């Protein structure tokens, strides 16, 4: 209830990685070791991302007979794209706890959540795969493919986590100290009543 109390922020943004989507327009598979940049612009690790257009049969890669010469030829067709968040590496030790990733895709309302890797891990492996289908491809979607896909990497701050746990223990001890003593066992109560 203290208006000046500032809750401890345990989960923190480690940083962001951005990858170009234009490889999808060129209908080629791309693997990226994208730098994770902190909010201050410092390198905070690497994120391995793979973005692959899928063939009509759903296999990774576009067969030669399905490749178009001009991206405009994709208008009105169905296009499937596989996004893989493989792993992160070289994360800062203090924030490499319960690491997770999220990203926004095209016009989806909510960010896509890559499941957290529990525990302390400076090199978490996600092996997350999501297939996106655009049917039909619109001019707005083609414009989107000329942009970047941003991945936000989060982790829990070890010092803040320890502080939060210490605060919770202190609060529990305070509650115990303020709690009334437990009632005496029934036998002692009966003896006290008889005496």
């Amino acid at each position: 209830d203290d208006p000046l109390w500032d809750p401890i922020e345990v989960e923190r943004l480690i940083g962001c990685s951005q990858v170009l989507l234009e490889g999808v327009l060129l209908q080629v598979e791309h693997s990226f070791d994208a730098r994770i940049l902190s909010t201050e612009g410092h390198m905070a690790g690497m994120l391995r991302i793979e973005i692959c257009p899928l063939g009509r049969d759903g296999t990774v890669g576009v067969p030669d007979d399905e490749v178009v010469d001009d991206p405009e030829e994709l208008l009105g067709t169905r296009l499937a794209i596989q996004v893989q968040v493989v792993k992160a590496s070289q994360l800062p030790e203090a924030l490499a706890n319960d690491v997770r990733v999220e990203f926004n895709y095209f016009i989806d309302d909510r960010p896509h959540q890559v499941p957290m890797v529990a525990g302390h891990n400076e090199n978490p492996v996600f092996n997350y795969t999501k297939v996106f289908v655009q049917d039909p491809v619109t001019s707005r979607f083609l414009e989107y493919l000329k942009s970047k896909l941003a991945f936000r990497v989060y982790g829990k701050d070890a010092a803040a986590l320890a502080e939060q746990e210490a605060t919770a223990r202190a609060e529990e001890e305070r509650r115990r100290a303020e709690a009334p003593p437990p009632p005496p066992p029934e036998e002692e109560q009966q003896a006290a009543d008889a005496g």
Side-chain angles (χ1 to χ4, degrees):
D1 295 340
D2 182 353
L4 300 177
W5 181 72
D6 191 18
I8 300 166
E9 289 293 328
V10 174
E11 185 175 72
R12 302 242 169 99
L13 176 65
I14 294 173
C16 291
S17 287
Q18 295 186 5
V19 295
L20 292 170
L21 289 170
E22 62 189 359
V24 175
L25 283 175
L26 303 172
Q27 297 177 293
V28 294
E29 302 161 40
H30 266 106
S31 294
F32 302 90
D33 283 315
R35 288 183 298 191
I36 301 169
L37 295 179
S38 70
T39 52
E40 295 84 28
H42 302 291
M43 187 165 144
M46 301 293 285
L47 190 63
R48 176 79 173 180
I49 304 289
E50 295 177 4
I51 299 178
C52 307
L54 303 180
R56 288 189 196 114
D57 64 357
T59 58
V60 172
V62 178
D64 290 342
D65 63 328
E66 293 179 26
V67 173
V68 296
D69 294 327
D70 182 356
E72 296 289 319
E73 294 175 49
L74 294 170
L75 284 170
T77 66
R78 178 184 184 278
L79 181 62
I81 302 167
Q82 178 176 284
V83 175
Q84 285 186 283
V85 180
V86 180
K87 65 181 181 174
S89 58
Q90 304 167 24
L91 297 178
E93 183 178 357
L95 297 176
N97 302 292
D98 298 342
V99 178
R100 68 179 185 85
V101 178
E102 70 179 29
F103 63 98
N104 291 78
Y105 181 81
F106 193 37
I107 56 174
D108 293 351
D109 293 340
R110 299 159 110 170
H112 293 273
Q113 303 288 335
V114 175
M116 170 186 70
V117 173
H120 180 78
N121 194 333
E122 293 173 45
N123 302 296
V125 176
F126 302 104
N127 284 331
Y128 169 88
T129 300
K130 175 80 176 168
V131 174
F132 296 94
V133 177
Q134 182 65 33
D135 191 7
V137 171
T138 61
S139 56
R140 182 176 175 191
F141 184 70
L142 289 180
E143 278 302 309
Y144 172 70
L145 292 179
K146 294 176 184 172
S147 69
K148 296 176 182 174
L149 191 53
F151 295 86
R152 295 173 298 282
V153 182
Y154 293 90
K156 291 185 178 172
D157 184 323
L161 200 54
E163 186 177 332
Q164 185 181 52
E165 289 168 359
T167 302
R169 278 193 303 277
E171 182 65 24
E172 181 60 30
E173 288 172 13
R174 185 186 62 75
R175 269 195 230 122
R176 279 194 206 132
E178 291 176 355
E186 211 172 291
E187 294 165 7
E188 292 176 21
Q189 186 66 40
Q190 289 173 350
D193 289 343

